[in-house]
Amino acid sequence: MNELLRIGAVIKPHGIRGEVKVWPTTDDPGRFDELSEVILKKGSTESTVPVISVKHFKNIVILGLSGIDTPEAAESLRGADIYVTRDQAVPLNEGEYYIGDIIGMEVRTEEGESLGTISDVIDTAANDVYSVKRPAGKDLLIPAIKQCILDVDLEENVMTVKLLPGLLDL
């Protein structure tokens, strides 16, 4: 399991004080209000930075970060990903999983046939959809609903699914 969980990405600078606009990749953008620090990753560079201010505007979070106090410094963070440690993560309910724990998971049918690995989680209005990278052929899209997802074993890194009619032409 990943010890760091991605919660956002820096879009661009905001204003003249070095704040940055962040696209939240978490279900709860309000979770930024509780953070005292974040981990910034850009390329091979990683640093832990204290959070000094948080504002919300529509779907965007505006962060003020310690040591980032000019538009130029904020510009250098464009494209950086924002992470928190697992112990800072919002607790999940039963049957919920962090996307970072799902990506790369092997997907098997209830009969044990390997379908591939999860390469992406697509957020839709109705439910999430898992994109499964198959060894041969097109990616398989599986809705994250109880009728399809039978079991998720984080220890074994395996998801067991039931393919509803029409999901896969065998």
Side-chain angles (χ1 to χ4, degrees), residues 17-28:
R17 294 187 185 96
E19 295 173 312
V20 292
K21 287 187 176 183
V22 173
W23 180 258
T25 58
T26 173
D27 286 345
D28 179 16

Side-chain angles (χ1 to χ4, degrees), residues 57-68:
F57 180 72
K58 297 185 181 180
N59 297 342
I60 302 297
V61 177
I62 300 169
L63 285 183
L65 301 168
S66 181
I68 308 297

Side-chain angles (χ1 to χ4, degrees), residues 5 31 33 49 67 71 75 84 90 93 96 99 111 118 127-128 139 152:
L5 300 171
R31 63 135 20 264
D33 298 334
V49 181
E75 178 64 39
V84 294
V90 175
N93 295 319
E96 294 181 333
I99 290 174
E111 292 81 25
I118 297 177
N127 52 267
D128 286 347
D139 287 359
V152 176

Side-chain angles (χ1 to χ4, degrees), residues 39-54:
I39 299 165
L40 295 172
K41 281 188 174 186
K42 186 171 182 184
S44 61
T45 304
E46 179 180 315
S47 59
T48 301
V49 181
V51 175
I52 56 176
S53 68
V54 178

Side-chain angles (χ1 to χ4, degrees), residues 28-157:
D28 179 16
R31 63 135 20 264
F32 282 89
D33 298 334
E34 307 301 320
L35 295 175
S36 60
E37 64 183 21
V38 294
I39 299 165
L40 295 172
K41 281 188 174 186
K42 186 171 182 184
S44 61
T45 304
E46 179 180 315
S47 59
T48 301
V49 181
V51 175
I52 56 176
S53 68
V54 178
K55 299 179 221 169
H56 299 272
F57 180 72
K58 297 185 181 180
N59 297 342
I60 302 297
V61 177
I62 300 169
L63 285 183
L65 301 168
S66 181
I68 308 297
D69 53 8
T70 66
E72 295 76 22
E75 178 64 39
S76 73
L77 297 179
R78 185 188 294 257
D81 288 319
I82 299 175
Y83 292 83
V84 294
T85 58
R86 190 169 286 275
D87 63 320
Q88 293 173 302
V90 175
L92 299 176
N93 295 319
E94 187 175 333
E96 294 181 333
Y97 306 95
Y98 297 113
I99 290 174
D101 292 341
I102 298 290
I103 301 291
M105 185 172 277
E106 181 185 359
V107 179
R108 296 181 189 158
T109 64
E110 52 193 329
E111 292 81 25
E113 177 189 353
S114 180
L115 297 172
T117 58
I118 297 177
S119 60
D120 195 11
V121 178
I122 302 163
D123 182 22
T124 69
N127 52 267
D128 286 347
V129 174
Y130 300 136
S131 179
V132 179
K133 181 82 171 154
R134 300 175 68 198
K138 294 181 182 179
D139 287 359
L140 175 63
L141 299 177
I142 301 175
I145 57 175
K146 290 179 186 177
Q147 295 88 337
C148 290
I149 309 304
L150 302 179
D151 184 56
V152 176
D153 186 336
L154 294 175
E155 296 290 322
E156 295 293 322
N157 202 34

